[in-house]
Amino acid sequence: MDDGGLGWWGVPLAVLAGAIRVSTPFLFVSLGECLTEKSGRINLGLEGTLVMGAMSGYAVAYGTGNPWAGVLVAGLAGTVFGVLHAAICSLERVNDIAVGIALMLLGTGLAFFLGKPFIQPQAPQLPSLALGWWSDVPQVQSALRINALFLAGLLLAPLLVWALRCTRWGMVVRIVGESAEAARAMGYPVNAVRMAATATGGFLAGVGGSFLSLYYPGSWNEGLSSGQGITAVALVIFARWDPMLCFYAALLFGGAGALGPALQSVGVTQGYYLLNAAPYILTLAIMIATSSSRHRLAGAPAELSVTR
Amino acid sequence: MAAPHRLSRRTLLHTVSAAGALGVLGSALPWRPALAKDLVVGFVYVGPRDDFGYNQAHAEGAAAVRALPGVKVLEEEKVPETVDVEKSMESMIALDGARLLFPTSFGYFDPHVLKVAKKHSSLTFLHCGGLWTEGKHPANVGSYFGYIDEAQYLSGIVAAHTSKTKKLGFVAAKPIPQVLRNINSFTLGARSVDPAVTTAVIFTGDWSMPVKEAEAANSLIDQGVDVVTCHVDSPKVVVETAERRGIFCTGYHASQAALAPKGYLTGAEWNWAKVYTDYVTLVLAGKTVPNLVRGGLKEGVVKTSAYGPAVSDAARANADAVKAQFMDGSFVIYKGPLKDNKGNTVIAAGEAQGQTDIALESMNYLVEGVTGSIG
């Protein structure tokens, strides 16, 4: 039957395409959170940062006509939220998780409030690179239309691994995350390092948000994130604080999210609620399979309040 | 510096209660109810009112009401289907003197609208989508809805004429009767043109899931679907995705023609402007409002979007001919023999279920030609 359909081949293709399309916000938020957590703080507010980034990026792209200006402003909005989180947490006896939840609510609320006028207009979209030129199957071409932000994330993950492992800056971040006392004894400003790490994490989360509104699905509305920011924070634990594993985990979640619709489109229609829950079932399974009651999570920064 | 002014608990209580008394006094002053000469009408939406979808359709109706003389319109957006809607309505009643309320989301009805309506028996509550039942529901409550599947049937006709692959796609939120009725009517319309046409349906699981809607549209397009439509709160994502991938789409709720100048064929739209202005005119004239309002193309409750540039003359002629039959009330969508997509007969030969047939409001099947399942 030559009718332009792919049949069952559509499923792996959709999972691959979904992995590329859907994973980028997960990737940016989880890389940002990974850096923040390496410095010994957890920022749960990244869901709010993501939504704020999506809104501000869309608004600026619409206002200026330049989507890249939107990406930049989304990053800066994220930085502001990161700085706010770090500044509040640098006070005595402040719980970073509680502050994160407060900032998550503030970020989403503020984005919904300020984003009202931008639900209807269409902002210019980020361009994509057509890497599927070698194929004459339109579905493959479409799946391989890859956004530059995804490639940036792809480069950022190994860069972050290298920076954390091999540079002085990375070492300082790790020391602060492993033992604040040791860092203080060595003369490193603990709060300033955490401020920088949280602000950078916020920047990345903001950029991730702009991908949602400026590329895929490519419009601003209030249901846009539907919890992706929170999922990405959880991904960091799932990925054992390793940026490269964050990248794979983001791909896995993107692909698993595409599985439900792809199977329905080829006619596997029973139990789609269960299929839509596939990413979460997968997480649970891997977490249970790799957990241990005897030692703390491998790779967890010792200063992190969730593992301390 | 002056001595620190210490506020004792007693002074605080005095001040607060004095301020409260002032507030009560303020509300009794004559200038405030001067506004109440106008009929105050409150609209409550479940989402943002410019979403290119469900809420925008209602907001367009509210805008038409606002243009009437002697009416003041209040609107509140993004009110969840929880006790929040009761608070919104109570505050519209208590603070702004609303006398006519339109809670527009399906989930508001039971128990929230019913509860508030019992409390304020002199006010009128008109709810979209509910089924008002005499004796069971308070007399000051009414419900209205439209047979938008008539417009979906016409969309299906246009889609079948336009499709080259003979595969249509439908992105739906949840398998509830109203959604199934749209899927089935769209498919029946398409198969009235060409019985080889099939509709693949994807349920996303909720009313607003932008990423999943985009994934669903992309998966359908990858399977060769070349006309897609949807029943979600905001069709914006589905329509934009279709346009970007270069296929055709038909709209829902409101017109999305502006989002897809090339691929937008037609669409099933609500015409709440007519329903709402009719209601408000009745209330302004002091007449009683009907408790149950239903209607389709003929009654003007629903309408179709203007045809897009890709619609062929044959498609126009076919759809217009069927539309004329809807307008004179002679067309029945659900008539036997009708099979569901599992092969069971759902309407026997010789039987017909007209639009007002209550059996259609509890639809639980997908017709032959739909790929998908409810479970």
Side-chain angles (χ1 to χ4, degrees):
Chain A
M1 193 163 69
D2 183 28
D3 54 3
L6 281 183
W8 276 93
W9 279 109
V11 176
L13 184 74
V15 170
L16 173 76
I20 294 170
R21 282 190 300 243
V22 184
S23 64
T24 309
F26 287 131
L27 178 58
F28 273 85
V29 176
S30 61
L31 287 181
E33 181 68 12
C34 188
L35 182 63
T36 307
E37 290 189 16
K38 278 285 186 192
S39 78
R41 254 200 211 130
I42 190 159
N43 182 2
L44 278 184
L46 290 187
E47 167 80 11
T49 312
L50 183 81
V51 176
M52 196 65 200
M55 191 284 296
S56 56
Y58 198 72
V60 168
Y62 173 66
T64 62
N66 182 355
W68 293 107
V71 174
L72 183 69
V73 169
L76 293 179
T79 312
V80 170
F81 269 79
V83 167
L84 195 60
H85 183 271
I88 298 172
C89 289
S90 63
L91 302 172
E92 284 291 312
R93 288 193 297 277
V94 171
N95 183 304
D96 53 352
I97 293 181
V99 174
I101 292 172
L103 284 180
M104 172 166 80
L105 297 175
L106 175 70
T108 46
L110 203 60
F112 290 178
F113 175 70
L114 297 173
K116 273 267 135 63
F118 302 104
I119 295 174
Q120 188 141 37
Q122 278 184 297
Q125 299 287 301
L126 290 171
S128 56
L129 307 171
L131 298 182
W133 44 266
W134 48 269
S135 169
D136 51 6
V137 182
Q139 286 91 337
V140 174
Q141 286 174 2
S142 159
L144 290 177
R145 292 192 76 82
I146 290 176
N147 185 271
L149 281 180
F150 175 77
L151 297 178
L154 176 64
L155 294 178
L156 194 61
L159 186 73
L160 202 57
V161 173
W162 171 79
L164 281 172
R165 191 179 295 155
C166 306
T167 66
R168 186 181 172 80
W169 280 90
M171 190 192 67
V172 174
V173 169
R174 280 188 293 134
I175 294 172
V176 170
E178 287 298 330
S179 167
E181 269 119 38
R184 242 176 247 120
M186 291 163 79
Y188 292 119
V190 172
N191 273 328
V193 171
R194 287 181 176 166
M195 169 80 79
T198 316
T200 314
F203 180 88
L204 291 177
V207 171
S210 72
F211 178 89
L212 279 176
S213 62
L214 291 174
Y215 186 69
Y216 195 80
S219 68
W220 158 247
N221 71 51
E222 289 161 358
L224 188 59
S225 154
S226 35
Q228 289 181 69
I230 283 291
T231 312
V233 171
L235 270 186
V236 178
I237 302 171
F238 177 63
R240 300 279 183 270
W241 295 270
D242 178 337
M244 262 340 268
L245 289 180
C246 282
F247 173 71
Y248 298 130
L251 280 184
L252 189 69
F253 267 65
L259 187 64
L263 283 175
Q264 279 195 64
S265 75
V266 295
V268 180
T269 52
Q270 295 297 329
Y272 48 84
Y273 280 107
L274 207 58
L275 285 171
N276 285 347
Y280 313 106
I281 296 170
L282 193 71
T283 314
L284 266 180
I286 297 183
M287 292 303 264
I288 291 168
T290 58
S291 69
S292 163
S293 56
R294 267 161 292 158
H295 54 84
R296 73 183 167 91
L297 290 171
E303 281 284 317
L304 220 51
S305 48
V306 279
T307 53
R308 203 156 41 182
Chain B
M1 224 172 93
H5 180 78
R6 303 220 22 212
L7 201 62
S8 75
R9 187 176 299 173
R10 184 169 297 176
T11 4
L12 183 76
L13 283 174
H14 272 300
T15 324
V16 169
S17 54
L22 209 63
V24 173
L25 194 68
S27 63
L29 285 175
W31 54 76
R32 224 185 136 272
L35 280 172
K37 257 169 50 188
D38 285 348
L39 173 68
V40 182
V41 186
F43 288 89
V44 187
Y45 311 123
V46 73
R49 63 168 174 246
D50 38 12
D51 61 353
F52 269 107
Y54 186 83
N55 299 295
Q56 181 169 327
H58 285 290
E60 283 168 6
V65 171
R66 182 172 281 134
L68 297 174
V71 176
K72 188 179 167 225
V73 170
L74 310 166
E75 290 176 288
E76 191 168 337
E77 303 169 79
K78 262 193 77 66
V79 179
E81 294 172 330
T82 59
V83 71
D84 283 339
V85 67
E86 295 178 28
K87 289 184 198 152
S88 290
M89 289 191 290
E90 290 283 7
S91 85
M92 282 179 172
I93 295 165
L95 299 177
D96 304 291
R99 287 197 287 138
L100 175 59
L101 287 126
F102 288 97
T104 59
S105 186
F106 184 78
Y108 291 160
F109 190 60
D110 194 4
H112 309 297
V113 170
L114 298 175
K115 210 157 110 193
V116 180
K118 275 191 197 122
K119 219 163 109 188
H120 303 274
S121 54
S122 61
L123 310 178
T124 310
F125 297 79
L126 298 169
H127 173 261
C128 177
L131 186 60
W132 183 84
T133 319
E134 183 147 25
K136 190 173 156 204
H137 297 139
N140 59 328
V141 173
S143 65
Y144 57 93
F145 204 62
Y147 304 125
I148 199 164
D149 61 322
E150 294 181 350
Q152 284 285 15
Y153 189 89
L154 299 176
S155 290
I157 292 177
V158 176
H161 275 284
T162 313
S163 173
K164 290 189 182 65
T165 61
K166 302 296 168 204
K167 283 183 177 181
L168 314 180
F170 202 117
V171 180
K174 296 180 181 185
I176 63 166
Q178 292 171 0
V179 177
L180 299 178
R181 197 164 163 178
N182 280 331
I183 299 170
N184 289 339
S185 292
F186 181 76
T187 309
L188 290 171
R191 287 165 72 89
S192 74
V193 176
D194 181 352
V197 172
T198 58
T199 305
V201 56
I202 293 186
F203 291 104
T204 59
D206 219 330
W207 297 107
S208 180
M209 304 276 283
V211 175
K212 200 141 263 166
E213 287 156 19
E215 274 306 304
N218 274 313
S219 298
L220 288 169
I221 298 165
D222 286 345
Q223 288 303 321
V225 162
D226 64 353
V227 185
V228 71
T229 189
C230 61
H231 186 161
V232 294
D233 266 358
S234 171
K236 194 179 182 199
V237 166
V238 172
V239 169
E240 283 180 335
T241 306
E243 184 78 352
R244 264 178 227 146
R245 296 277 309 256
I247 67 151
F248 302 102
C249 57
T250 70
Y252 191 60
H253 289 315
S255 173
Q256 290 91 35
L259 299 174
K262 284 204 287 286
Y264 193 79
L265 300 174
T266 181
E269 294 180 39
W270 299 105
N271 192 14
W272 297 132
K274 179 185 182 306
V275 178
Y276 290 166
T277 49
D278 285 357
Y279 268 136
V280 171
T281 316
L282 279 180
V283 172
L284 283 174
K287 293 184 183 139
T288 45
V289 176
N291 290 100
L292 195 61
V293 168
R294 291 285 191 272
L297 289 163
K298 185 183 166 198
E299 293 80 5
V301 179
V302 302
K303 58 183 178 183
T304 53
S305 315
Y307 296 120
V311 181
S312 68
D313 291 337
R316 276 169 210 249
N318 191 343
D320 284 342
V322 178
K323 191 176 179 183
Q325 292 182 43
F326 275 125
M327 296 308 269
D328 66 23
S330 65
F331 198 88
V332 178
I333 298 176
Y334 291 93
K335 49 181 184 268
L338 186 66
K339 278 185 178 168
D340 69 7
N341 64 354
K342 296 188 194 100
N344 309 317
T345 303
V346 284
I347 301 178
E351 276 180 45
Q353 293 178 347
Q355 281 298 40
T356 50
D357 198 322
I358 218 77
L360 293 178
E361 304 216 2
S362 55
M363 186 174 281
N364 61 354
Y365 55 86
L366 291 164
V367 295
E368 191 177 12
V370 180
T371 319
S373 75
I374 300 168

CSV table of all heavy atoms in Angstrom, one decimal, chain B residues 173-199:
chain,number,residue,atom,x,y,z
B,173,ALA,N,-9.0,14.8,23.1
B,173,ALA,CA,-8.6,14.8,24.5
B,173,ALA,C,-9.0,13.6,25.2
B,173,ALA,O,-8.1,12.8,25.6
B,173,ALA,CB,-9.1,16.1,25.1
B,174,LYS,N,-10.3,13.4,25.4
B,174,LYS,CA,-10.8,12.3,26.2
B,174,LYS,C,-11.9,11.6,25.5
B,174,LYS,O,-12.7,12.3,24.8
B,174,LYS,CB,-11.3,12.8,27.5
B,174,LYS,CG,-10.2,13.4,28.4
B,174,LYS,CD,-10.8,13.9,29.7
B,174,LYS,CE,-9.8,14.5,30.6
B,174,LYS,NZ,-10.3,14.9,31.9
B,175,PRO,N,-12.1,10.3,25.7
B,175,PRO,CA,-13.2,9.6,25.0
B,175,PRO,C,-14.5,9.8,25.7
B,175,PRO,O,-15.1,8.9,26.3
B,175,PRO,CB,-12.8,8.1,25.0
B,175,PRO,CG,-11.9,8.0,26.2
B,175,PRO,CD,-11.2,9.4,26.4
B,176,ILE,N,-15.1,11.0,25.8
B,176,ILE,CA,-16.4,11.3,26.4
B,176,ILE,C,-17.4,11.4,25.2
B,176,ILE,O,-17.0,11.7,24.1
B,176,ILE,CB,-16.4,12.5,27.3
B,176,ILE,CG1,-16.1,13.8,26.5
B,176,ILE,CG2,-15.4,12.4,28.4
B,176,ILE,CD1,-16.4,15.1,27.2
B,177,PRO,N,-18.7,11.3,25.5
B,177,PRO,CA,-19.7,11.3,24.4
B,177,PRO,C,-19.6,12.4,23.4
B,177,PRO,O,-19.6,12.2,22.2
B,177,PRO,CB,-21.0,11.3,25.2
B,177,PRO,CG,-20.7,10.6,26.4
B,177,PRO,CD,-19.3,11.0,26.8
B,178,GLN,N,-19.4,13.7,23.9
B,178,GLN,CA,-19.3,14.8,23.0
B,178,GLN,C,-18.2,14.7,22.0
B,178,GLN,O,-18.3,15.1,20.9
B,178,GLN,CB,-19.2,16.1,23.8
B,178,GLN,CG,-20.4,16.4,24.6
B,178,GLN,CD,-20.2,17.6,25.5
B,178,GLN,OE1,-19.1,18.2,25.6
B,178,GLN,NE2,-21.2,18.0,26.3
B,179,VAL,N,-17.0,14.2,22.5
B,179,VAL,CA,-15.8,14.1,21.7
B,179,VAL,C,-16.1,12.9,20.7
B,179,VAL,O,-15.8,13.1,19.5
B,179,VAL,CB,-14.6,13.8,22.5
B,179,VAL,CG1,-13.4,13.6,21.6
B,179,VAL,CG2,-14.3,14.9,23.5
B,180,LEU,N,-16.6,11.8,21.1
B,180,LEU,CA,-16.9,10.7,20.2
B,180,LEU,C,-17.8,11.1,19.2
B,180,LEU,O,-17.7,10.7,18.0
B,180,LEU,CB,-17.4,9.5,21.1
B,180,LEU,CG,-16.5,9.0,22.2
B,180,LEU,CD1,-17.2,7.8,22.9
B,180,LEU,CD2,-15.2,8.5,21.6
B,181,ARG,N,-18.8,11.9,19.5
B,181,ARG,CA,-19.8,12.3,18.5
B,181,ARG,C,-19.2,13.1,17.4
B,181,ARG,O,-19.5,13.0,16.3
B,181,ARG,CB,-20.9,13.1,19.3
B,181,ARG,CG,-22.1,13.3,18.5
B,181,ARG,CD,-23.2,13.8,19.5
B,181,ARG,NE,-24.3,14.3,18.8
B,181,ARG,CZ,-25.4,14.8,19.4
B,181,ARG,NH1,-25.5,14.8,20.7
B,181,ARG,NH2,-26.4,15.2,18.6
B,182,ASN,N,-18.2,14.0,17.8
B,182,ASN,CA,-17.5,14.7,16.8
B,182,ASN,C,-16.6,13.8,15.9
B,182,ASN,O,-16.6,14.0,14.7
B,182,ASN,CB,-16.6,15.8,17.5
B,182,ASN,CG,-17.4,17.0,17.9
B,182,ASN,OD1,-18.4,17.3,17.3
B,182,ASN,ND2,-16.9,17.7,18.9
B,183,ILE,N,-15.9,12.9,16.5
B,183,ILE,CA,-15.1,12.0,15.7
B,183,ILE,C,-16.0,11.2,14.7
B,183,ILE,O,-15.7,11.1,13.6
B,183,ILE,CB,-14.3,11.0,16.7
B,183,ILE,CG1,-13.4,11.8,17.6
B,183,ILE,CG2,-13.5,10.0,15.8
B,183,ILE,CD1,-12.8,10.9,18.7
B,184,ASN,N,-17.1,10.7,15.3
B,184,ASN,CA,-18.0,9.9,14.4
B,184,ASN,C,-18.6,10.7,13.3
B,184,ASN,O,-18.7,10.2,12.2
B,184,ASN,CB,-19.0,9.2,15.3
B,184,ASN,CG,-18.4,8.1,16.2
B,184,ASN,OD1,-17.4,7.6,15.9
B,184,ASN,ND2,-19.1,7.8,17.3
B,185,SER,N,-19.1,11.9,13.6
B,185,SER,CA,-19.7,12.7,12.6
B,185,SER,C,-18.7,13.1,11.5
B,185,SER,O,-19.0,13.1,10.3
B,185,SER,CB,-20.3,13.9,13.2
B,185,SER,OG,-21.4,13.6,14.0
B,186,PHE,N,-17.5,13.5,12.0
B,186,PHE,CA,-16.4,13.8,11.0
B,186,PHE,C,-16.2,12.7,10.1
B,186,PHE,O,-16.1,12.8,8.8
B,186,PHE,CB,-15.2,14.2,11.8
B,186,PHE,CG,-14.0,14.6,11.0
B,186,PHE,CD1,-13.9,15.9,10.4
B,186,PHE,CD2,-12.9,13.7,10.8
B,186,PHE,CE1,-12.8,16.3,9.6
B,186,PHE,CE2,-11.8,14.1,10.1
B,186,PHE,CZ,-11.8,15.4,9.5
B,187,THR,N,-16.1,11.5,10.6
B,187,THR,CA,-15.8,10.3,9.8
B,187,THR,C,-17.0,9.9,8.9
B,187,THR,O,-16.8,9.6,7.7
B,187,THR,CB,-15.5,9.1,10.8
B,187,THR,OG1,-14.5,9.5,11.7
B,187,THR,CG2,-15.0,7.9,10.0
B,188,LEU,N,-18.2,10.0,9.4
B,188,LEU,CA,-19.4,9.7,8.6
B,188,LEU,C,-19.5,10.7,7.4
B,188,LEU,O,-19.8,10.3,6.3
B,188,LEU,CB,-20.6,9.7,9.4
B,188,LEU,CG,-20.8,8.6,10.4
B,188,LEU,CD1,-22.0,8.8,11.4
B,188,LEU,CD2,-20.9,7.2,9.7
B,189,GLY,N,-19.2,12.0,7.7
B,189,GLY,CA,-19.2,13.0,6.7
B,189,GLY,C,-18.2,12.6,5.6
B,189,GLY,O,-18.4,12.6,4.4
B,190,ALA,N,-17.0,12.2,6.0
B,190,ALA,CA,-15.9,11.9,5.1
B,190,ALA,C,-16.3,10.7,4.3
B,190,ALA,O,-16.1,10.6,3.1
B,190,ALA,CB,-14.6,11.7,5.8
B,191,ARG,N,-16.8,9.6,4.9
B,191,ARG,CA,-17.2,8.4,4.3
B,191,ARG,C,-18.4,8.5,3.4
B,191,ARG,O,-18.7,7.6,2.6
B,191,ARG,CB,-17.3,7.3,5.3
B,191,ARG,CG,-15.9,6.8,5.8
B,191,ARG,CD,-16.0,6.0,7.0
B,191,ARG,NE,-16.5,4.7,6.8
B,191,ARG,CZ,-15.7,3.6,6.4
B,191,ARG,NH1,-14.4,3.8,6.4
B,191,ARG,NH2,-16.2,2.5,6.2
B,192,SER,N,-19.2,9.6,3.6
B,192,SER,CA,-20.3,9.8,2.7
B,192,SER,C,-19.8,10.2,1.3
B,192,SER,O,-20.4,10.0,0.3
B,192,SER,CB,-21.2,10.9,3.2
B,192,SER,OG,-20.6,12.2,3.1
B,193,VAL,N,-18.5,10.7,1.3
B,193,VAL,CA,-17.9,11.1,0.0
B,193,VAL,C,-17.2,9.9,-0.6
B,193,VAL,O,-17.4,9.6,-1.8
B,193,VAL,CB,-16.9,12.2,0.2
B,193,VAL,CG1,-16.2,12.6,-1.0
B,193,VAL,CG2,-17.6,13.5,0.8
B,194,ASP,N,-16.4,9.2,0.2
B,194,ASP,CA,-15.6,8.1,-0.3
B,194,ASP,C,-15.6,7.1,0.9
B,194,ASP,O,-14.9,7.3,1.9
B,194,ASP,CB,-14.2,8.6,-0.6
B,194,ASP,CG,-13.4,7.5,-1.2
B,194,ASP,OD1,-13.8,6.3,-1.1
B,194,ASP,OD2,-12.3,7.8,-1.7
B,195,PRO,N,-16.2,5.9,0.7
B,195,PRO,CA,-16.2,4.9,1.8
B,195,PRO,C,-14.8,4.3,2.1
B,195,PRO,O,-14.7,3.6,3.1
B,195,PRO,CB,-17.2,3.8,1.3
B,195,PRO,CG,-17.8,4.4,0.1
B,195,PRO,CD,-17.0,5.5,-0.4
B,196,ALA,N,-13.8,4.7,1.3
B,196,ALA,CA,-12.5,4.1,1.6
B,196,ALA,C,-11.7,5.0,2.6
B,196,ALA,O,-10.7,4.6,3.1
B,196,ALA,CB,-11.7,4.1,0.3
B,197,VAL,N,-12.3,6.1,2.9
B,197,VAL,CA,-11.6,7.0,3.9
B,197,VAL,C,-11.6,6.5,5.3
B,197,VAL,O,-12.6,6.0,5.7
B,197,VAL,CB,-12.2,8.4,3.8
B,197,VAL,CG1,-11.6,9.3,4.9
B,197,VAL,CG2,-12.0,9.1,2.5
B,198,THR,N,-10.5,6.6,6.0
B,198,THR,CA,-10.4,6.2,7.4
B,198,THR,C,-9.9,7.4,8.2
B,198,THR,O,-9.3,8.3,7.7
B,198,THR,CB,-9.5,5.0,7.7
B,198,THR,OG1,-8.2,5.4,7.2
B,198,THR,CG2,-10.0,3.8,6.9
B,199,THR,N,-10.3,7.4,9.5
B,199,THR,CA,-9.9,8.4,10.4
B,199,THR,C,-9.1,7.7,11.5
B,199,THR,O,-9.6,6.8,12.2
B,199,THR,CB,-11.1,9.1,11.0
B,199,THR,OG1,-11.9,9.7,10.0
B,199,THR,CG2,-10.6,10.3,11.9
